[in-house]
Amino acid sequence: METDFHEFVAARSAALFKGAFVLTGNREAAEDLVQETLEKACRKWRTIAAKDAPDAYVRRIMVNLANDRWRRFRRLATAPHPEGADPAAPGDEYGQVDSRDQLVRALQQLPMRMRTVVVLRYFHDLSDLEIGADLGVSPSTVRSQLARGIEKLRSQFPALSEPSPQRHTEGIR
């Protein structure tokens, strides 16, 4: 059983960290969240390993811990970058880091459940059914939270919300 847990940690800790980082918006807090999640999972590993989906169980632990932290340390959201900021050029690695930072800041402004749904969908590639099962809500609730969350994020990044120019393909064979 202990070996199974070590294998789970080796295989899933990077994905857990990515999700935790987006949930917390801070590297140190994400590391703490993952550590606390894995600590709780280790204590209950026999029960978790017997489940059909240990990933889902551990993700649920992480989401619950993040929600608890959010409630305890609720604070004003940090201000987004100025609107006049230049978008990153395709090869501009520093600009890409800046864009990623903007996205994390925008995610931090979403309500916790909405943020959790967005993270589970886009950072963990879960379906509506899987997210609903993880959070104990219906798939339609997941879809509505996701739609509202994406709309709020798009309002933060108007340039990304515009439809991409489509080529005129009518009459081309």
Side-chain angles (χ1 to χ4, degrees), residues 93-156:
E93 293 174 15
Y94 293 110
Q96 290 173 355
V97 169
D98 201 35
S99 296
R100 199 172 303 131
D101 181 56
Q102 282 180 291
L103 177 60
V104 170
R105 288 175 189 269
L107 280 164
Q108 290 298 306
Q109 294 179 8
L110 295 178
M112 189 61 183
R113 176 165 304 216
M114 212 176 278
R115 181 184 341 153
T116 302
V117 168
V118 171
V119 168
L120 291 176
R121 168 58 58 85
Y122 292 105
F123 289 85
H124 289 279
D125 285 331
L126 299 182
S127 69
D128 296 343
L129 278 167
E130 292 170 316
I131 296 169
D134 277 5
L135 300 180
V137 298
S138 70
S140 60
T141 300
V142 170
R143 286 190 294 275
S144 74
Q145 290 289 305
L146 185 61
R148 289 181 187 142
I150 295 302
E151 185 59 35
K152 285 185 177 196
L153 289 173
R154 283 186 177 146
S155 72
Q156 300 274 331

Short mmCIF file of all heavy atoms in Angstrom, two decimals, residues 93-156:
data_model
loop_
_atom_site.label_atom_id
_atom_site.label_comp_id
_atom_site.label_asym_id
_atom_site.label_seq_id
_atom_site.Cartn_x
_atom_site.Cartn_y
_atom_site.Cartn_z
N GLU A 93 9.10 35.29 -24.31
CA GLU A 93 8.88 34.43 -23.14
C GLU A 93 8.49 35.24 -21.90
O GLU A 93 7.66 34.80 -21.11
CB GLU A 93 10.13 33.60 -22.86
CG GLU A 93 10.38 32.59 -23.95
CD GLU A 93 11.69 31.84 -23.77
OE1 GLU A 93 12.26 31.89 -22.66
OE2 GLU A 93 12.14 31.22 -24.74
N TYR A 94 9.06 36.43 -21.75
CA TYR A 94 8.71 37.26 -20.59
C TYR A 94 7.27 37.74 -20.70
O TYR A 94 6.55 37.77 -19.71
CB TYR A 94 9.66 38.44 -20.45
CG TYR A 94 11.06 38.03 -20.11
CD1 TYR A 94 12.09 38.15 -21.03
CD2 TYR A 94 11.34 37.48 -18.86
CE1 TYR A 94 13.37 37.74 -20.72
CE2 TYR A 94 12.63 37.08 -18.54
CZ TYR A 94 13.64 37.22 -19.48
OH TYR A 94 14.90 36.81 -19.16
N GLY A 95 6.86 38.08 -21.90
CA GLY A 95 5.48 38.50 -22.11
C GLY A 95 4.51 37.37 -21.85
O GLY A 95 3.41 37.58 -21.34
N GLN A 96 4.91 36.13 -22.18
CA GLN A 96 4.05 34.99 -21.92
C GLN A 96 3.90 34.76 -20.42
O GLN A 96 2.83 34.42 -19.94
CB GLN A 96 4.60 33.74 -22.61
CG GLN A 96 4.47 33.80 -24.12
CD GLN A 96 5.18 32.64 -24.81
OE1 GLN A 96 5.85 31.84 -24.17
NE2 GLN A 96 5.05 32.58 -26.12
N VAL A 97 4.97 34.97 -19.69
CA VAL A 97 4.90 34.86 -18.23
C VAL A 97 3.96 35.92 -17.69
O VAL A 97 3.14 35.67 -16.81
CB VAL A 97 6.31 34.97 -17.59
CG1 VAL A 97 6.21 35.13 -16.09
CG2 VAL A 97 7.15 33.76 -17.96
N ASP A 98 4.05 37.13 -18.24
CA ASP A 98 3.19 38.22 -17.82
C ASP A 98 1.72 37.89 -18.11
O ASP A 98 0.85 38.12 -17.28
CB ASP A 98 3.61 39.50 -18.53
CG ASP A 98 3.13 40.75 -17.82
OD1 ASP A 98 3.08 40.74 -16.57
OD2 ASP A 98 2.80 41.73 -18.52
N SER A 99 1.46 37.31 -19.28
CA SER A 99 0.09 36.91 -19.64
C SER A 99 -0.42 35.84 -18.70
O SER A 99 -1.58 35.85 -18.29
CB SER A 99 0.04 36.40 -21.08
OG SER A 99 0.37 37.41 -21.98
N ARG A 100 0.44 34.89 -18.36
CA ARG A 100 0.05 33.82 -17.44
C ARG A 100 -0.28 34.43 -16.07
O ARG A 100 -1.25 34.03 -15.42
CB ARG A 100 1.20 32.81 -17.33
CG ARG A 100 0.77 31.48 -16.78
CD ARG A 100 1.86 30.44 -16.87
NE ARG A 100 2.33 30.25 -18.23
CZ ARG A 100 3.61 30.24 -18.60
NH1 ARG A 100 4.55 30.38 -17.70
NH2 ARG A 100 3.95 30.07 -19.85
N ASP A 101 0.52 35.41 -15.66
CA ASP A 101 0.27 36.08 -14.39
C ASP A 101 -1.08 36.80 -14.43
O ASP A 101 -1.83 36.75 -13.46
CB ASP A 101 1.41 37.06 -14.08
CG ASP A 101 1.21 37.76 -12.76
OD1 ASP A 101 1.08 37.07 -11.73
OD2 ASP A 101 1.19 39.02 -12.75
N GLN A 102 -1.39 37.45 -15.55
CA GLN A 102 -2.67 38.12 -15.70
C GLN A 102 -3.82 37.12 -15.58
O GLN A 102 -4.84 37.39 -14.95
CB GLN A 102 -2.77 38.83 -17.05
CG GLN A 102 -2.02 40.14 -17.12
CD GLN A 102 -2.20 40.75 -18.49
OE1 GLN A 102 -1.68 40.23 -19.47
NE2 GLN A 102 -2.92 41.84 -18.55
N LEU A 103 -3.66 35.96 -16.21
CA LEU A 103 -4.70 34.94 -16.16
C LEU A 103 -4.91 34.45 -14.73
O LEU A 103 -6.05 34.32 -14.26
CB LEU A 103 -4.35 33.76 -17.07
CG LEU A 103 -5.32 32.59 -17.04
CD1 LEU A 103 -6.72 33.03 -17.48
CD2 LEU A 103 -4.81 31.46 -17.91
N VAL A 104 -3.83 34.19 -14.02
CA VAL A 104 -3.95 33.72 -12.63
C VAL A 104 -4.63 34.79 -11.77
O VAL A 104 -5.50 34.49 -10.96
CB VAL A 104 -2.58 33.31 -12.06
CG1 VAL A 104 -2.65 33.07 -10.56
CG2 VAL A 104 -2.07 32.07 -12.78
N ARG A 105 -4.27 36.05 -11.99
CA ARG A 105 -4.91 37.14 -11.24
C ARG A 105 -6.40 37.22 -11.56
O ARG A 105 -7.23 37.42 -10.67
CB ARG A 105 -4.23 38.47 -11.53
CG ARG A 105 -2.86 38.60 -10.93
CD ARG A 105 -2.20 39.91 -11.38
NE ARG A 105 -0.83 39.97 -11.00
CZ ARG A 105 -0.39 40.49 -9.87
NH1 ARG A 105 -1.25 40.98 -9.00
NH2 ARG A 105 0.89 40.51 -9.59
N ALA A 106 -6.75 37.07 -12.83
CA ALA A 106 -8.15 37.09 -13.22
C ALA A 106 -8.90 35.92 -12.60
O ALA A 106 -10.04 36.07 -12.13
CB ALA A 106 -8.29 37.07 -14.74
N LEU A 107 -8.28 34.75 -12.57
CA LEU A 107 -8.90 33.58 -11.94
C LEU A 107 -9.14 33.83 -10.45
O LEU A 107 -10.14 33.40 -9.89
CB LEU A 107 -8.05 32.33 -12.13
CG LEU A 107 -8.17 31.65 -13.49
CD1 LEU A 107 -7.02 30.69 -13.70
CD2 LEU A 107 -9.50 30.94 -13.62
N GLN A 108 -8.21 34.53 -9.81
CA GLN A 108 -8.34 34.82 -8.38
C GLN A 108 -9.55 35.69 -8.09
O GLN A 108 -10.07 35.69 -6.99
CB GLN A 108 -7.07 35.50 -7.85
CG GLN A 108 -5.87 34.61 -7.79
CD GLN A 108 -6.08 33.44 -6.87
OE1 GLN A 108 -6.43 33.61 -5.72
NE2 GLN A 108 -5.89 32.25 -7.38
N GLN A 109 -10.01 36.44 -9.08
CA GLN A 109 -11.17 37.32 -8.88
C GLN A 109 -12.50 36.59 -9.02
O GLN A 109 -13.53 37.12 -8.65
CB GLN A 109 -11.09 38.50 -9.85
CG GLN A 109 -9.92 39.40 -9.55
CD GLN A 109 -9.82 40.56 -10.51
OE1 GLN A 109 -10.71 40.78 -11.32
NE2 GLN A 109 -8.74 41.30 -10.42
N LEU A 110 -12.46 35.36 -9.54
CA LEU A 110 -13.68 34.57 -9.65
C LEU A 110 -14.07 34.02 -8.29
O LEU A 110 -13.21 33.72 -7.47
CB LEU A 110 -13.47 33.39 -10.61
CG LEU A 110 -13.21 33.69 -12.07
CD1 LEU A 110 -12.98 32.39 -12.83
CD2 LEU A 110 -14.33 34.49 -12.69
N PRO A 111 -15.37 33.84 -8.06
CA PRO A 111 -15.79 33.15 -6.83
C PRO A 111 -15.19 31.74 -6.81
O PRO A 111 -14.94 31.14 -7.86
CB PRO A 111 -17.32 33.10 -6.97
CG PRO A 111 -17.66 34.19 -7.92
CD PRO A 111 -16.49 34.31 -8.85
N MET A 112 -14.98 31.21 -5.64
CA MET A 112 -14.25 29.96 -5.47
C MET A 112 -14.84 28.80 -6.28
O MET A 112 -14.12 28.08 -6.95
CB MET A 112 -14.18 29.59 -3.99
CG MET A 112 -13.27 28.44 -3.72
SD MET A 112 -11.60 28.87 -4.22
CE MET A 112 -10.77 27.36 -3.88
N ARG A 113 -16.14 28.60 -6.24
CA ARG A 113 -16.73 27.47 -6.97
C ARG A 113 -16.51 27.63 -8.47
O ARG A 113 -16.17 26.69 -9.17
CB ARG A 113 -18.20 27.31 -6.67
CG ARG A 113 -18.79 26.17 -7.54
CD ARG A 113 -20.09 25.71 -7.08
NE ARG A 113 -20.00 25.31 -5.70
CZ ARG A 113 -20.66 24.31 -5.18
NH1 ARG A 113 -21.45 23.61 -5.92
NH2 ARG A 113 -20.55 24.02 -3.91
N MET A 114 -16.71 28.85 -8.97
CA MET A 114 -16.52 29.12 -10.39
C MET A 114 -15.07 28.85 -10.79
O MET A 114 -14.79 28.24 -11.81
CB MET A 114 -16.89 30.59 -10.67
CG MET A 114 -17.47 30.85 -12.02
SD MET A 114 -17.96 32.58 -12.16
CE MET A 114 -19.55 32.55 -11.37
N ARG A 115 -14.15 29.32 -9.98
CA ARG A 115 -12.72 29.12 -10.23
C ARG A 115 -12.40 27.63 -10.22
O ARG A 115 -11.66 27.13 -11.07
CB ARG A 115 -11.90 29.85 -9.18
CG ARG A 115 -10.41 29.70 -9.40
CD ARG A 115 -9.55 30.33 -8.33
NE ARG A 115 -10.22 31.32 -7.52
CZ ARG A 115 -9.87 31.60 -6.27
NH1 ARG A 115 -8.87 30.99 -5.71
NH2 ARG A 115 -10.52 32.51 -5.59
N THR A 116 -12.97 26.91 -9.27
CA THR A 116 -12.71 25.48 -9.16
C THR A 116 -13.19 24.76 -10.41
O THR A 116 -12.49 23.90 -10.95
CB THR A 116 -13.41 24.92 -7.91
OG1 THR A 116 -12.93 25.61 -6.76
CG2 THR A 116 -13.16 23.44 -7.76
N VAL A 117 -14.38 25.11 -10.90
CA VAL A 117 -14.91 24.48 -12.11
C VAL A 117 -14.00 24.76 -13.30
O VAL A 117 -13.67 23.86 -14.08
CB VAL A 117 -16.36 24.96 -12.38
CG1 VAL A 117 -16.83 24.56 -13.77
CG2 VAL A 117 -17.30 24.40 -11.32
N VAL A 118 -13.57 26.01 -13.46
CA VAL A 118 -12.68 26.36 -14.58
C VAL A 118 -11.36 25.59 -14.48
O VAL A 118 -10.87 25.05 -15.47
CB VAL A 118 -12.43 27.89 -14.62
CG1 VAL A 118 -11.35 28.25 -15.62
CG2 VAL A 118 -13.72 28.63 -14.95
N VAL A 119 -10.80 25.52 -13.29
CA VAL A 119 -9.53 24.80 -13.10
C VAL A 119 -9.69 23.32 -13.40
O VAL A 119 -8.86 22.74 -14.12
CB VAL A 119 -8.99 25.02 -11.66
CG1 VAL A 119 -7.86 24.06 -11.35
CG2 VAL A 119 -8.54 26.46 -11.48
N LEU A 120 -10.74 22.71 -12.89
CA LEU A 120 -10.92 21.28 -13.12
C LEU A 120 -11.17 20.99 -14.60
O LEU A 120 -10.72 19.97 -15.12
CB LEU A 120 -12.06 20.73 -12.27
CG LEU A 120 -11.78 20.69 -10.76
CD1 LEU A 120 -13.02 20.22 -10.00
CD2 LEU A 120 -10.59 19.81 -10.44
N ARG A 121 -11.84 21.89 -15.30
CA ARG A 121 -12.11 21.67 -16.73
C ARG A 121 -10.85 21.88 -17.57
O ARG A 121 -10.45 21.03 -18.36
CB ARG A 121 -13.21 22.61 -17.21
CG ARG A 121 -13.38 22.69 -18.73
CD ARG A 121 -13.67 21.35 -19.42
NE ARG A 121 -14.83 20.69 -18.93
CZ ARG A 121 -16.08 20.92 -19.35
NH1 ARG A 121 -16.28 21.78 -20.29
NH2 ARG A 121 -17.08 20.30 -18.80
N TYR A 122 -10.20 23.02 -17.40
CA TYR A 122 -9.12 23.39 -18.32
C TYR A 122 -7.72 22.99 -17.86
O TYR A 122 -6.82 22.93 -18.68
CB TYR A 122 -9.17 24.88 -18.63
CG TYR A 122 -10.41 25.21 -19.44
CD1 TYR A 122 -11.49 25.85 -18.86
CD2 TYR A 122 -10.50 24.83 -20.76
CE1 TYR A 122 -12.63 26.13 -19.59
CE2 TYR A 122 -11.63 25.10 -21.51
CZ TYR A 122 -12.69 25.76 -20.91
OH TYR A 122 -13.82 26.01 -21.64
N PHE A 123 -7.54 22.72 -16.59
CA PHE A 123 -6.21 22.32 -16.12
C PHE A 123 -6.15 20.83 -15.80
O PHE A 123 -5.07 20.27 -15.73
CB PHE A 123 -5.78 23.14 -14.90
CG PHE A 123 -5.47 24.56 -15.25
CD1 PHE A 123 -6.47 25.51 -15.33
CD2 PHE A 123 -4.18 24.95 -15.55
CE1 PHE A 123 -6.19 26.82 -15.68
CE2 PHE A 123 -3.89 26.25 -15.90
CZ PHE A 123 -4.90 27.19 -15.97
N HIS A 124 -7.32 20.22 -15.59
CA HIS A 124 -7.34 18.78 -15.32
C HIS A 124 -8.11 18.01 -16.39
O HIS A 124 -8.24 16.79 -16.28
CB HIS A 124 -7.94 18.50 -13.94
CG HIS A 124 -7.06 18.91 -12.81
ND1 HIS A 124 -6.01 18.16 -12.35
CD2 HIS A 124 -7.07 20.04 -12.04
CE1 HIS A 124 -5.41 18.79 -11.35
NE2 HIS A 124 -6.03 19.92 -11.15
N ASP A 125 -8.66 18.70 -17.38
CA ASP A 125 -9.39 18.08 -18.50
C ASP A 125 -10.50 17.14 -18.05
O ASP A 125 -10.66 16.05 -18.59
CB ASP A 125 -8.43 17.32 -19.42
CG ASP A 125 -7.63 18.24 -20.29
OD1 ASP A 125 -8.13 19.34 -20.61
OD2 ASP A 125 -6.51 17.87 -20.66
N LEU A 126 -11.27 17.56 -17.06
CA LEU A 126 -12.37 16.72 -16.59
C LEU A 126 -13.66 17.08 -17.31
O LEU A 126 -13.86 18.23 -17.71
CB LEU A 126 -12.57 16.89 -15.08
CG LEU A 126 -11.40 16.51 -14.19
CD1 LEU A 126 -11.78 16.68 -12.72
CD2 LEU A 126 -10.96 15.09 -14.45
N SER A 127 -14.56 16.11 -17.44
CA SER A 127 -15.86 16.34 -18.06
C SER A 127 -16.82 16.96 -17.04
O SER A 127 -16.53 17.00 -15.84
CB SER A 127 -16.43 15.02 -18.57
OG SER A 127 -16.78 14.20 -17.46
N ASP A 128 -17.99 17.39 -17.55
CA ASP A 128 -19.01 17.95 -16.66
C ASP A 128 -19.41 16.93 -15.59
O ASP A 128 -19.59 17.28 -14.43
CB ASP A 128 -20.26 18.35 -17.45
CG ASP A 128 -20.01 19.47 -18.44
OD1 ASP A 128 -18.98 20.15 -18.30
OD2 ASP A 128 -20.85 19.65 -19.34
N LEU A 129 -19.56 15.68 -16.01
CA LEU A 129 -19.94 14.62 -15.07
C LEU A 129 -18.88 14.43 -13.98
O LEU A 129 -19.21 14.30 -12.80
CB LEU A 129 -20.15 13.30 -15.80
CG LEU A 129 -21.50 13.13 -16.47
CD1 LEU A 129 -21.48 11.95 -17.44
CD2 LEU A 129 -22.57 12.94 -15.42
N GLU A 130 -17.61 14.40 -14.39
CA GLU A 130 -16.53 14.20 -13.42
C GLU A 130 -16.42 15.38 -12.46
O GLU A 130 -16.25 15.19 -11.25
CB GLU A 130 -15.20 14.01 -14.15
CG GLU A 130 -15.11 12.72 -14.93
CD GLU A 130 -13.90 12.66 -15.84
OE1 GLU A 130 -13.60 13.66 -16.53
OE2 GLU A 130 -13.25 11.59 -15.87
N ILE A 131 -16.54 16.59 -12.99
CA ILE A 131 -16.47 17.78 -12.13
C ILE A 131 -17.66 17.79 -11.17
O ILE A 131 -17.49 18.04 -9.97
CB ILE A 131 -16.44 19.08 -12.97
CG1 ILE A 131 -15.16 19.14 -13.80
CG2 ILE A 131 -16.55 20.30 -12.07
CD1 ILE A 131 -15.16 20.24 -14.84
N GLY A 132 -18.84 17.48 -11.69
CA GLY A 132 -20.03 17.43 -10.85
C GLY A 132 -19.88 16.42 -9.72
O GLY A 132 -20.25 16.69 -8.58
N ALA A 133 -19.32 15.25 -10.06
CA ALA A 133 -19.10 14.23 -9.04
C ALA A 133 -18.09 14.70 -8.00
O ALA A 133 -18.27 14.49 -6.80
CB ALA A 133 -18.64 12.92 -9.68
N ASP A 134 -17.01 15.35 -8.46
CA ASP A 134 -15.99 15.86 -7.53
C ASP A 134 -16.57 16.90 -6.58
O ASP A 134 -16.22 16.94 -5.40
CB ASP A 134 -14.83 16.50 -8.29
CG ASP A 134 -13.81 15.50 -8.78
OD1 ASP A 134 -14.03 14.28 -8.63
OD2 ASP A 134 -12.78 15.95 -9.33
N LEU A 135 -17.45 17.77 -7.10
CA LEU A 135 -17.95 18.88 -6.30
C LEU A 135 -19.31 18.61 -5.66
O LEU A 135 -19.80 19.43 -4.89
CB LEU A 135 -18.04 20.15 -7.16
CG LEU A 135 -16.74 20.63 -7.77
CD1 LEU A 135 -16.98 21.88 -8.61
CD2 LEU A 135 -15.71 20.90 -6.70
N GLY A 136 -19.92 17.49 -6.03
CA GLY A 136 -21.23 17.17 -5.46
C GLY A 136 -22.34 18.04 -6.03
O GLY A 136 -23.28 18.39 -5.30
N VAL A 137 -22.24 18.41 -7.31
CA VAL A 137 -23.27 19.22 -7.97
C VAL A 137 -23.65 18.54 -9.29
O VAL A 137 -22.96 17.63 -9.76
CB VAL A 137 -22.78 20.67 -8.24
CG1 VAL A 137 -22.47 21.38 -6.93
CG2 VAL A 137 -21.58 20.69 -9.16
N SER A 138 -24.72 19.02 -9.90
CA SER A 138 -25.18 18.43 -11.15
C SER A 138 -24.32 18.93 -12.32
O SER A 138 -23.73 20.00 -12.25
CB SER A 138 -26.64 18.80 -11.40
OG SER A 138 -26.74 20.18 -11.71
N PRO A 139 -24.28 18.16 -13.41
CA PRO A 139 -23.54 18.60 -14.59
C PRO A 139 -24.06 19.94 -15.15
O PRO A 139 -23.29 20.74 -15.66
CB PRO A 139 -23.75 17.48 -15.61
CG PRO A 139 -23.98 16.27 -14.76
CD PRO A 139 -24.75 16.77 -13.57
N SER A 140 -25.37 20.20 -15.02
CA SER A 140 -25.89 21.49 -15.51
C SER A 140 -25.37 22.65 -14.66
O SER A 140 -25.11 23.74 -15.18
CB SER A 140 -27.42 21.48 -15.53
OG SER A 140 -27.95 21.27 -14.25
N THR A 141 -25.19 22.42 -13.36
CA THR A 141 -24.60 23.45 -12.51
C THR A 141 -23.15 23.69 -12.92
O THR A 141 -22.69 24.83 -12.98
CB THR A 141 -24.66 23.03 -11.03
OG1 THR A 141 -26.02 22.85 -10.66
CG2 THR A 141 -24.01 24.06 -10.12
N VAL A 142 -22.44 22.62 -13.25
CA VAL A 142 -21.06 22.75 -13.72
C VAL A 142 -21.03 23.60 -14.98
O VAL A 142 -20.23 24.53 -15.11
CB VAL A 142 -20.43 21.36 -13.99
CG1 VAL A 142 -19.09 21.50 -14.71
CG2 VAL A 142 -20.26 20.60 -12.70
N ARG A 143 -21.91 23.30 -15.94
CA ARG A 143 -21.93 24.04 -17.21
C ARG A 143 -22.24 25.51 -16.98
O ARG A 143 -21.63 26.38 -17.59
CB ARG A 143 -22.93 23.42 -18.17
CG ARG A 143 -22.44 22.10 -18.76
CD ARG A 143 -23.33 21.62 -19.89
NE ARG A 143 -24.67 21.26 -19.44
CZ ARG A 143 -25.01 20.08 -18.94
NH1 ARG A 143 -24.11 19.13 -18.82
NH2 ARG A 143 -26.26 19.85 -18.57
N SER A 144 -23.20 25.81 -16.10
CA SER A 144 -23.55 27.22 -15.87
C SER A 144 -22.41 27.96 -15.17
O SER A 144 -22.09 29.10 -15.51
CB SER A 144 -24.86 27.36 -15.10
OG SER A 144 -24.70 27.02 -13.75
N GLN A 145 -21.77 27.31 -14.18
CA GLN A 145 -20.63 27.93 -13.50
C GLN A 145 -19.48 28.15 -14.46
O GLN A 145 -18.81 29.18 -14.43
CB GLN A 145 -20.18 27.07 -12.32
CG GLN A 145 -21.14 27.02 -11.17
CD GLN A 145 -21.18 28.34 -10.43
OE1 GLN A 145 -20.17 28.85 -9.99
NE2 GLN A 145 -22.37 28.90 -10.31
N LEU A 146 -19.25 27.19 -15.34
CA LEU A 146 -18.18 27.30 -16.33
C LEU A 146 -18.47 28.43 -17.30
O LEU A 146 -17.59 29.25 -17.58
CB LEU A 146 -18.02 25.97 -17.08
CG LEU A 146 -16.87 25.89 -18.06
CD1 LEU A 146 -15.53 26.08 -17.35
CD2 LEU A 146 -16.89 24.55 -18.78
N ALA A 147 -19.70 28.52 -17.79
CA ALA A 147 -20.06 29.58 -18.73
C ALA A 147 -19.90 30.96 -18.09
O ALA A 147 -19.34 31.88 -18.70
CB ALA A 147 -21.49 29.38 -19.23
N ARG A 148 -20.36 31.10 -16.87
CA ARG A 148 -20.23 32.38 -16.17
C ARG A 148 -18.77 32.72 -15.90
O ARG A 148 -18.35 33.87 -16.02
CB ARG A 148 -21.01 32.35 -14.86
CG ARG A 148 -22.49 32.37 -15.06
CD ARG A 148 -23.22 32.36 -13.73
NE ARG A 148 -24.65 32.21 -13.96
CZ ARG A 148 -25.44 31.50 -13.19
NH1 ARG A 148 -24.95 30.89 -12.12
NH2 ARG A 148 -26.72 31.40 -13.46
N GLY A 149 -18.00 31.71 -15.51
CA GLY A 149 -16.58 31.94 -15.24
C GLY A 149 -15.83 32.37 -16.49
O GLY A 149 -15.03 33.31 -16.46
N ILE A 150 -16.08 31.69 -17.60
CA ILE A 150 -15.42 32.03 -18.85
C ILE A 150 -15.82 33.44 -19.30
O ILE A 150 -14.99 34.22 -19.75
CB ILE A 150 -15.75 30.99 -19.96
CG1 ILE A 150 -15.17 29.63 -19.59
CG2 ILE A 150 -15.26 31.44 -21.32
CD1 ILE A 150 -13.67 29.62 -19.38
N GLU A 151 -17.09 33.78 -19.13
CA GLU A 151 -17.55 35.12 -19.50
C GLU A 151 -16.84 36.19 -18.66
O GLU A 151 -16.41 37.21 -19.18
CB GLU A 151 -19.07 35.23 -19.32
CG GLU A 151 -19.65 36.54 -19.79
CD GLU A 151 -19.37 36.82 -21.26
OE1 GLU A 151 -19.36 35.87 -22.07
OE2 GLU A 151 -19.17 38.00 -21.60
N LYS A 152 -16.68 35.93 -17.37
CA LYS A 152 -15.98 36.90 -16.51
C LYS A 152 -14.50 37.01 -16.92
O LYS A 152 -13.94 38.10 -16.92
CB LYS A 152 -16.10 36.50 -15.04
CG LYS A 152 -17.45 36.79 -14.47
CD LYS A 152 -17.50 36.50 -12.98
CE LYS A 152 -18.86 36.87 -12.45
NZ LYS A 152 -18.87 36.98 -10.99
N LEU A 153 -13.89 35.88 -17.24
CA LEU A 153 -12.50 35.92 -17.69
C LEU A 153 -12.37 36.67 -19.01
O LEU A 153 -11.44 37.45 -19.20
CB LEU A 153 -11.94 34.50 -17.83
CG LEU A 153 -11.71 33.75 -16.52
CD1 LEU A 153 -11.31 32.31 -16.80
CD2 LEU A 153 -10.65 34.44 -15.68
N ARG A 154 -13.30 36.44 -19.92
CA ARG A 154 -13.26 37.14 -21.21
C ARG A 154 -13.42 38.64 -21.03
O ARG A 154 -12.83 39.41 -21.78
CB ARG A 154 -14.35 36.60 -22.13
CG ARG A 154 -13.99 35.28 -22.72
CD ARG A 154 -15.00 34.82 -23.73
NE ARG A 154 -14.55 33.57 -24.32
CZ ARG A 154 -15.34 32.60 -24.71
NH1 ARG A 154 -16.65 32.74 -24.60
NH2 ARG A 154 -14.84 31.50 -25.22
N SER A 155 -14.20 39.04 -20.05
CA SER A 155 -14.35 40.49 -19.82
C SER A 155 -13.05 41.11 -19.32
O SER A 155 -12.82 42.30 -19.51
CB SER A 155 -15.49 40.75 -18.83
OG SER A 155 -15.11 40.38 -17.52
N GLN A 156 -12.19 40.30 -18.72
CA GLN A 156 -10.87 40.77 -18.26
C GLN A 156 -9.88 40.88 -19.42
O GLN A 156 -8.91 41.61 -19.34
CB GLN A 156 -10.29 39.80 -17.23
CG GLN A 156 -11.11 39.62 -16.00
CD GLN A 156 -10.81 40.68 -14.97
OE1 GLN A 156 -9.72 41.20 -14.92
NE2 GLN A 156 -11.80 41.00 -14.16
#
